[in-house]
Amino acid sequence: MRVIVVKSPQEMGKEAAAIIADGMCSKPHYVLGLATGSTPVPLYNELKRMHKEDGLDFSTTVSFNLDEYIALPATHDQSYRCFIDEHLFDDINIVKGNTHVPDGMTDDIETHCMIYEAMIEDVGGIDCQVLGIGGNGHIGFNEPGSSLASRTRAVDLTPETIRDNARFFKSADEVPKRAISMGIGTVLEAEKILLLATGANKAKAVAAALEGPVCIKVPASGLQLHPDVTYVITEDAASQLTLRYRS
Ligand code: GLP
């Protein structure tokens, strides 16, 4: 695995965007797996800049978001559909019909999740999956205890995640308690994985993911089983790592 340690979130965004742009240039109909949260925002800002100033073309790009809150309409300003439209899609030339976010309002979650997986398969799988990491080591909304073979499904959020995400809502009571998330097994099928982390509050989770045992207590540790993972992390997020890595 590669670990690229950078000085700032902006530098992280540039490193990660360069990796994605390289991939997009080498393959038409590039399939991106996208994450929400504050961490990937500098990446999305850089992709938007590259589109505007360098002509990076998203017209044939397809995307699948990792997750969505259950029972939050796509029009809600904290829905992940709203987030990714606002932080990325509205400012690039991606075709909205080629962008996919799980539907948290579906009345048949199981079928919806099966169809989501089938759509990923139909386009030949995800070329590059972007991930953030939760303070408890979650990826997407795969909370501790998620099977490393899990697929897209409904999940219950832990009290820690609800507390972490309460900053985006008026109160913790308003944070949805459930979500639809791609599984760890789904994520592990991506050709390439880019995990981003910034801030000292992620240092423990990053160290457990990279250097701890592969175990369901730390969902991101499952990435140790993938042959092509690049971590792009700031110095503070890397501060608890003890080994030397290829960058
Ligand atoms: C949410 C998302 C994750 C994200 C995590 C961390 O729980 N489901 O995909 O990685 O938040 O968010 P942040 O980047 O804001 O710390």
Side-chain angles (χ1 to χ4, degrees), residues 64-190:
F64 289 89
N65 268 54
L66 273 172
D67 46 12
E68 179 61 283
Y69 290 117
I70 287 178
L72 208 60
T75 50
H76 189 288
D77 62 355
Q78 290 308 325
S79 77
Y80 282 180
R81 162 52 82 179
C82 202
F83 174 98
I84 201 71
D85 280 351
E86 187 189 322
H87 286 92
L88 184 62
F89 297 157
D90 288 349
D91 294 313
I92 58 174
N93 65 333
I94 199 164
V95 177
K96 277 285 174 81
N98 289 341
T99 71
H100 306 88
V101 180
D103 177 6
M105 297 298 284
T106 178
D107 49 18
D108 184 349
I109 293 176
E110 212 170 308
T111 305
H112 181 69
C113 292
M114 278 171 52
I115 293 172
Y116 204 72
E117 291 266 343
M119 286 193 301
I120 295 173
E121 211 182 310
D122 279 355
V123 295
I126 290 172
D127 291 306
C128 180
Q129 176 66 57
V130 176
L131 296 174
I133 184 168
N136 62 3
H138 76 214
I139 48 176
F141 270 131
N142 294 286
E143 297 283 29
S146 298
S147 158
L148 299 184
S150 50
R151 311 300 308 188
T152 304
R153 68 208 184 290
V155 294
D156 294 326
L157 306 187
T158 60
E160 184 180 358
T161 297
I162 291 170
R163 203 175 52 238
D164 281 354
N165 290 358
R167 65 201 146 112
F168 300 114
F169 292 81
K170 287 195 194 98
S171 72
D173 293 344
E174 282 190 23
V175 184
K177 309 288 178 283
R178 300 178 75 215
I180 293 174
S181 180
M182 275 188 207
I184 302 173
T186 321
V187 167
L188 288 176
E189 280 173 9

Side-chain angles (χ1 to χ4, degrees), residues 12-31:
M12 177 204 71
K14 284 188 192 310
E15 288 282 350
I19 293 170
I20 290 175
D22 261 10
M24 285 174 62
C25 293
S26 65
K27 183 177 180 268
H29 304 287
Y30 201 66
V31 183

